[in-house]
Amino acid sequence: THWRTMLPIIIPLLGWVGLVYFFILVVIGFFKTALVFFIGRFLLPPPSSNFVINKMNHSLPVKQAFKESLIRSKPVLKRIVLTTIPITILSFYLIYLGFFSHLTQWLRPVIHLLPLPPEALSIIVAQFGGHLPAYTLASNFLVNHLLGSKEVILALLWGTVVTSIVSLRYYLPYYWGIFGPHLGTQLMLISTGLRQILIIMIAIFIHWWF
């Protein structure tokens, strides 16, 4: 489901670097699902014999599907333009004024905790405001050769982990509304925690072996 929301944004801004980051997230999602399937195979009882899955076949003609995709893309494209242009202008001014050079000195104690340069830390901070500001800022760093592709990917991965705490405010009403407070909290913590652990493992692997 991330294809239709992430790719139209991440490819124009980050190119192949964005594709690699997206591919990593997809692999993590598949691996998490496979792991849960594997555990469930041994912990859960088999379904009853009268268990039936109803399949619904529904498709649109190509012309109608293309028309609807254009209509649904308008709000996304508008949001991209309104966010990308101001952030790009601001980042150019910050680079020109030497903001990130001063940030290097100020964040030096923090930098040692994560294997990232200060520009990459600013991408993590930008992710608290949403993925689009973070992608735009990362794109500007790539264009101006302030960060390499590896640093950008690691910054986005670590940013996903750090900002997951903020994301709980969106997940909580969703899980509680469907499964109730007790089971919903368990599902949310297991799903989110397992995903973040896998992201951390991938980030450490990329840092040491690439």
Side-chain angles (χ1 to χ4, degrees), residues 123-208:
I123 295 176
I124 296 177
V125 174
Q127 277 187 274
F128 282 99
H131 294 294
L132 185 55
Y135 298 157
T136 305
L137 192 60
S139 175
N140 291 321
F141 287 149
L142 280 173
V143 171
N144 290 278
H145 304 288
L146 294 176
L147 288 177
S149 56
K150 176 182 175 180
E151 286 77 14
V152 168
I153 292 173
L154 286 174
L156 292 174
L157 289 175
W158 284 112
T160 303
V161 175
V162 174
T163 57
S164 63
I165 301 175
V166 180
S167 302
L168 293 180
R169 63 181 179 179
Y170 304 110
Y171 294 145
L172 199 60
Y174 170 77
Y175 280 98
W176 280 24
I178 298 176
F179 302 103
H182 180 68
L183 181 59
T185 301
Q186 288 181 323
L187 289 171
M188 180 187 66
L189 293 178
I190 292 173
S191 176
T192 305
L194 184 58
R195 183 172 186 262
Q196 306 315 317
I197 290 173
L198 292 174
I199 291 177
I200 291 173
M201 292 173 61
I202 293 293
I204 294 174
F205 177 80
I206 293 174
H207 174 73
W208 288 107

Side-chain angles (χ1 to χ4, degrees), residues 52-60:
V52 179
I53 298 177
N54 294 322
K55 295 183 179 180
M56 296 182 62
N57 296 321
H58 178 70
S59 61
L60 293 175

Side-chain angles (χ1 to χ4, degrees), residues 2-191:
H2 296 309
W3 287 77
R4 63 183 180 89
T5 57
M6 285 187 65
L7 291 184
I9 300 174
I10 206 168
I11 292 179
L13 291 176
L14 296 174
W16 72 269
V17 176
L19 280 177
V20 172
Y21 169 67
F22 175 78
F23 177 75
I24 291 173
L25 294 182
V26 172
V27 170
I28 289 173
F30 275 117
F31 188 79
K32 184 185 77 170
T33 304
L35 183 61
V36 172
F37 276 147
F38 180 79
I39 296 174
R41 176 64 180 82
F42 295 97
L43 295 183
L44 299 177
S48 59
S49 57
N50 58 354
F51 181 77
V52 179
I53 298 177
N54 294 322
K55 295 183 179 180
M56 296 182 62
N57 296 321
H58 178 70
S59 61
L60 293 175
V62 176
K63 185 177 180 180
Q64 184 180 353
F66 180 74
K67 183 179 179 180
E68 290 192 11
S69 65
L70 290 178
I71 295 174
R72 295 185 181 185
S73 298
K74 286 183 179 180
V76 178
L77 294 175
K78 182 180 179 181
R79 180 161 48 90
I80 291 174
V81 172
L82 294 178
T83 306
T84 302
I85 293 177
I87 293 178
T88 301
I89 295 174
L90 178 61
S91 62
F92 277 130
Y93 271 106
L94 292 176
I95 293 170
Y96 176 76
L97 295 174
F99 171 78
F100 295 105
S101 298
H102 294 291
L103 187 66
T104 304
Q105 302 299 326
W106 186 63
L107 294 176
R108 188 173 296 276
V110 182
I111 295 172
H112 294 295
L113 300 178
L114 287 175
L116 295 171
E119 293 85 359
L121 295 179
S122 63
I123 295 176
I124 296 177
V125 174
Q127 277 187 274
F128 282 99
H131 294 294
L132 185 55
Y135 298 157
T136 305
L137 192 60
S139 175
N140 291 321
F141 287 149
L142 280 173
V143 171
N144 290 278
H145 304 288
L146 294 176
L147 288 177
S149 56
K150 176 182 175 180
E151 286 77 14
V152 168
I153 292 173
L154 286 174
L156 292 174
L157 289 175
W158 284 112
T160 303
V161 175
V162 174
T163 57
S164 63
I165 301 175
V166 180
S167 302
L168 293 180
R169 63 181 179 179
Y170 304 110
Y171 294 145
L172 199 60
Y174 170 77
Y175 280 98
W176 280 24
I178 298 176
F179 302 103
H182 180 68
L183 181 59
T185 301
Q186 288 181 323
L187 289 171
M188 180 187 66
L189 293 178
I190 292 173
S191 176

